Amino acid sequence: MTGKEYIENNKQKFLDELLDLLKIPSVSADKKFKDDVLKTADVIKSQLEKAGADKVEICPTAGYPIVYAEKIIDESLPTVLVYGHYDVQPADPYELWDSPPFEPVIKNDKIYARGACDDKGQMYMHVKAFETMMATDSLPCNIKFMIEGEEEVGSDNLGIFVKENKEKLASDVILISDTSIISNEHPSITVGLRGLSYLQVEVTGPNRDLHSGVYGGAVANPINTLCEMIASLKDEKNHITVPGFYDKVAELTAEERTALNKAPFDLDEYKKDLNIDEVEGEDGYTTLERAGIRPTLDVNGIWGGYIGEGAKTVLPSKAYAKISMRLVPDQVSDEITELFAKHFESIAPKSVKVKVTPHHGGDPAVTPTDSTAYQAASAAFEEAWGKKPIPTRDGGSIPIVALFERELKVNTVLMGFGLDSDAIHSPNEHYGIFNYFKGIETITLFYKHFANQK
Amino acid sequence: MTGKEYIENNKQKFLDELLDLLKIPSVSADKKFKDDVLKTADVIKSQLEKAGADKVEICPTAGYPIVYAEKIIDESLPTVLVYGHYDVQPADPYELWDSPPFEPVIKNDKIYARGACDDKGQMYMHVKAFETMMATDSLPCNIKFMIEGEEEVGSDNLGIFVKENKEKLASDVILISDTSIISNEHPSITVGLRGLSYLQVEVTGPNRDLHSGVYGGAVANPINTLCEMIASLKDEKNHITVPGFYDKVAELTAEERTALNKAPFDLDEYKKDLNIDEVEGEDGYTTLERAGIRPTLDVNGIWGGYIGEGAKTVLPSKAYAKISMRLVPDQVSDEITELFAKHFESIAPKSVKVKVTPHHGGDPAVTPTDSTAYQAASAAFEEAWGKKPIPTRDGGSIPIVALFERELKVNTVLMGFGLDSDAIHSPNEHYGIFNYFKGIETITLFYKHFANQK
């Protein structure tokens, strides 16, 4: 039986297993889901064992554990290290989901659930591709799995694990499916990822909530002040005003920009899909450039004062915001975090106190297109999809890619199969059933081409 | 027995009854407390009956009912209409209370509970003053009570009730205790109140929450946009930038400002009490002026995006704020609300949609100091406190004062006994036991002087 036939014969089983996995609310950001996150690690371990892996381990960390597994068929063959994550983003706001986020449903050939695409669906394709190759006796390389449970909260403990297990993780390439393709008609491989600096800020005015009638106008309102401080972080051209922010940004050449702007993209469709009248971004760059090669600053959350039903005339003591910046080569996350913190503290008026708490971050990464691994991925796509994939820059961040390159000295191939419209991190996240099965097939073909080219 | 003796003999009873009243969470802003709000009206009704009122009624409205009561002893005598409210502000954030807001405790001679001062404590003084005068056969005027349950949510239905019951509410003066005195050493009577315009704004960017990595930098973030719009509402001198906002503001004369600034006030104490390094407000005005005679704009609440534990890299679809403006004579609440809405919509960039929802409001009011009612109140304070009260301008709003003057053609006397430090609308609201009993005594003396002067 060929791999393709095995996948065809096991479609229902592959789908049912993913649906079961999606039922577990493995939200790493919220402690109340702790047992579920741990349970998810157990399920991954058990499925890797069933698929035929040896040495399957739940490796404890200071946070959630890392599931490790391997199948070494011949020390002289190349080794692929698969990375993925079993934790998911919080599902808030629940009321905007058409069906409960942890009760997966299939509609219009798509699986709807938190984590359907990011990253349970994409990660589990690797488990099933491995099973397929084992079952059809066609695994042509050694394989290692490192599946973590803290990607959505910054992968703090993964870095320690990687540093302490360099030998165990020794490999020729790291393979990750946690990105998207342009469309099912235009397969693509992500070769650039933005980095991230994520911080929380707290502005304190008076030491207690005050009556806005008695004190309003005479005492700084920390919400107004926070708004003013946030507004000042960008100028009228949407340039970020943090001093030194752009110092290390690598400008692309005119040729590179031209190539990037040739990717299939329809601005009218884009605006229609989001129901916006105008896009908005940094002057002098196209939408594709703004989302791919330029750094950004977004408020991801803001709160303060009375946010319940009705009205309360309060002048609150505190206001908060979660702010993140997407970084591009050669910005360094730790440096940007420090520049931001220093700047934000410096612009606070004397009437308030400001606290800045760095949350997590990761450096931007670019992967070479001339490596054997990239070539193998490209050939696998071409064989499975009938089209050569387009190399693209992705706006998102997988902070551990830069870490892997630094610590393990191994390149990564980002072989993602999601679509930007999959609503990852949003209500109604979904993943195409076509993409799930086509992804499993493409992954098995990667191993074939990688073994041949190596 | 004199009134003073009766109060002295019944202190424990007066206190216990107030504590019982404070145990009922009559939060009008939140529907989940509906039964408690209604129960509070029943308690007020029953206490007014026990105190000796006739025709005690629970008057239904489209919202919470109004408790009406009267004691007409002689049609030829002057009539006092007492107004108060039995609803309270929401107690959020509960975690900042040292003791549960609806489990009143006495500490350092103060009663701690939501509503202790605003307005259950102050309103209930009138019920007890009435009881005192009835029990000691010393009621010298006719008396009417109108106690509502929607003051904290804008008194929408009170206006209708007043318009429909002008004859029933006919009186010579309206007496309200819902304001504060400068200090227990410096009794005062509020002669000016700021008005209010309260609105909610909603900024919508994309039609769904987006991944900030995929879309960040290319699509307007409604939180950033809302912050920019709010920041633009004040200029660098803290003047409000809404066109026409100041057009009807009555500037005080130099003499009036000098008089106002003579009120006892210690800026260092003020800053120390609030634990702030600097005050902040409109250029060219003192703190007392900023809080009393100048209009203001405060964000009372803001929310959007992910506000839970941890991090979520979301570019949200929506951001919201509750914004209120305190108004001064001769600004008109409806006009300012319209000016604000029009301006806020006009400053929205094309990349977002904006919805402005007026909430509630009230016009500013000034009460004359040369009326017999004011003179009676002043004499009552002087007799009870041994000091002539200082007339002051209060920054807060009791929107119905302007309504009463307009509809009933009757002046109001604001005979409040709270302190600014009572933390009304804040966690740990409290009311001094001294103020409670002294207030009851002062109110009985008001009736004596009012009957004499009339």
Side-chain angles (χ1 to χ4, degrees), chain A residues 193-197 240 242-251 282 292-297 325-337 339-340 361-366 393 402 406:
Chain A
L193 282 170
R194 290 197 282 194
L196 184 73
S197 284
I240 294 155
V242 177
F245 185 80
Y246 291 98
D247 285 1
K248 293 197 175 174
V249 170
E251 291 286 343
E282 194 182 357
I293 59 162
R294 296 299 296 171
T296 67
L297 185 151
M325 288 157 286
R326 297 283 169 175
L327 312 180
V328 299
D330 298 314
Q331 289 178 299
V332 179
S333 174
D334 287 348
E335 289 174 12
I336 294 293
T337 298
L339 286 176
F340 178 90
D363 292 330
V366 176
R393 295 274 202 129
R406 198 171 61 240

Side-chain angles (χ1 to χ4, degrees), chain A residues 127-142:
Chain A
V127 182
K128 294 299 102 179
F130 172 57
E131 175 186 322
T132 300
M133 292 184 286
M134 290 296 288
T136 55
D137 201 19
S138 61
L139 179 68
C141 308
N142 301 310

Side-chain angles (χ1 to χ4, degrees), chain A residues 290-416:
Chain A
R290 289 166 176 172
I293 59 162
R294 296 299 296 171
T296 67
L297 185 151
D298 271 294
V299 182
N300 302 110
I302 193 166
W303 68 104
Y306 182 68
I307 62 178
E309 198 191 342
K312 186 174 170 182
T313 48
V314 63
L315 191 167
S317 172
K318 286 174 187 290
Y320 306 83
K322 293 177 194 272
I323 298 174
S324 70
M325 288 157 286
R326 297 283 169 175
L327 312 180
V328 299
D330 298 314
Q331 289 178 299
V332 179
S333 174
D334 287 348
E335 289 174 12
I336 294 293
T337 298
E338 198 184 325
L339 286 176
F340 178 90
K342 200 177 289 179
H343 176 65
F344 203 76
E345 282 159 5
S346 78
I347 60 173
K350 278 188 182 168
S351 50
V352 300
K353 292 173 187 72
V354 164
K355 195 171 113 188
V356 180
T357 310
H359 204 287
H360 68 280
D363 292 330
V366 176
T367 60
T369 52
D370 55 3
S371 68
T372 51
Y374 181 85
Q375 295 301 328
S378 182
F381 261 109
E382 202 167 347
E383 183 175 344
W385 299 63
K387 268 186 193 171
K388 199 176 168 72
I390 302 164
T392 60
R393 295 274 202 129
D394 200 36
S397 309
I398 311 180
I400 37 73
V401 171
L403 170 87
F404 292 157
E405 305 216 342
R406 198 171 61 240
E407 296 296 331
L408 301 176
K409 319 285 183 213
V410 180
N411 280 334
T412 295
V413 169
L414 295 163
M415 214 175 170

Side-chain angles (χ1 to χ4, degrees), chain B residues 3-217:
Chain B
K4 202 169 172 177
E5 285 162 352
Y6 183 84
I7 295 167
E8 191 61 37
N9 291 348
N10 286 277
K11 275 189 162 175
Q12 194 59 49
K13 176 177 108 82
F14 285 7
L15 198 55
D16 290 344
E17 287 174 14
L18 176 57
L19 296 185
D20 283 343
L21 194 61
L22 293 170
K23 285 176 190 162
I24 320 173
S26 53
V27 179
S28 50
D30 192 339
K31 287 190 191 80
K32 77 167 182 255
F33 294 108
K34 188 180 174 187
D35 290 347
D36 295 302
V37 182
L38 295 172
K39 188 177 157 191
T40 311
D42 287 335
V43 173
I44 302 300
K45 172 177 185 276
S46 140
Q47 290 296 351
L48 281 164
E49 279 165 349
K50 279 191 212 165
D54 300 328
K55 285 206 207 170
V56 189
E57 298 169 59
I58 302 243
C59 307
T61 74
Y64 288 118
I66 291 158
V67 183
Y68 175 84
E70 62 177 47
K71 184 74 194 179
I72 308 297
I73 52 172
D74 181 343
E75 294 280 358
S76 68
L77 287 173
T79 301
V80 176
L81 173 60
V82 173
Y83 164 86
H85 62 95
Y86 62 83
D87 64 323
V88 299
Q89 275 277 313
D92 317 69
Y94 277 66
E95 67 274 17
L96 296 184
W97 285 76
D98 294 331
S99 56
F102 299 106
E103 297 174 24
V105 294
I106 293 174
K107 271 191 309 193
N108 305 322
D109 301 319
K110 298 179 187 84
I111 307 157
Y112 284 82
R114 168 57 81 233
C117 175
D118 178 18
D119 181 46
K120 281 177 176 167
Q122 295 224 55
M123 174 270 291
Y124 204 64
M125 295 183 310
H126 288 270
V127 182
K128 295 298 102 177
F130 172 58
E131 175 186 323
T132 300
M133 293 184 285
M134 289 297 287
T136 56
D137 202 19
S138 62
L139 180 68
C141 308
N142 301 311
I143 187 166
K144 295 177 178 178
F145 285 90
M146 171 171 59
I147 314 296
E148 71 151 323
E150 299 187 311
E151 199 270 347
E152 301 293 3
V153 290
S155 302
D156 280 352
N157 295 298
L158 183 76
I160 301 164
F161 180 80
V162 167
K163 282 176 198 167
E164 289 176 352
N165 291 280
K166 289 185 185 175
E167 202 163 321
K168 180 180 200 151
L169 301 173
S171 57
D172 297 285
V173 67
I174 295 165
L175 188 62
I176 305 180
S177 295
D178 199 11
T179 49
S180 53
I181 52 176
I182 296 170
S183 72
N184 285 350
E185 290 69 47
H186 296 96
S188 56
I189 298 176
T190 301
V191 295
L193 281 172
R194 291 197 282 194
L196 183 73
S197 284
Y198 199 112
L199 304 98
Q200 184 163 317
V201 300
E202 176 188 309
V203 176
T204 305
N207 54 359
R208 60 182 188 271
D209 283 6
L210 301 175
H211 187 303
S212 74
V214 179
Y215 291 93

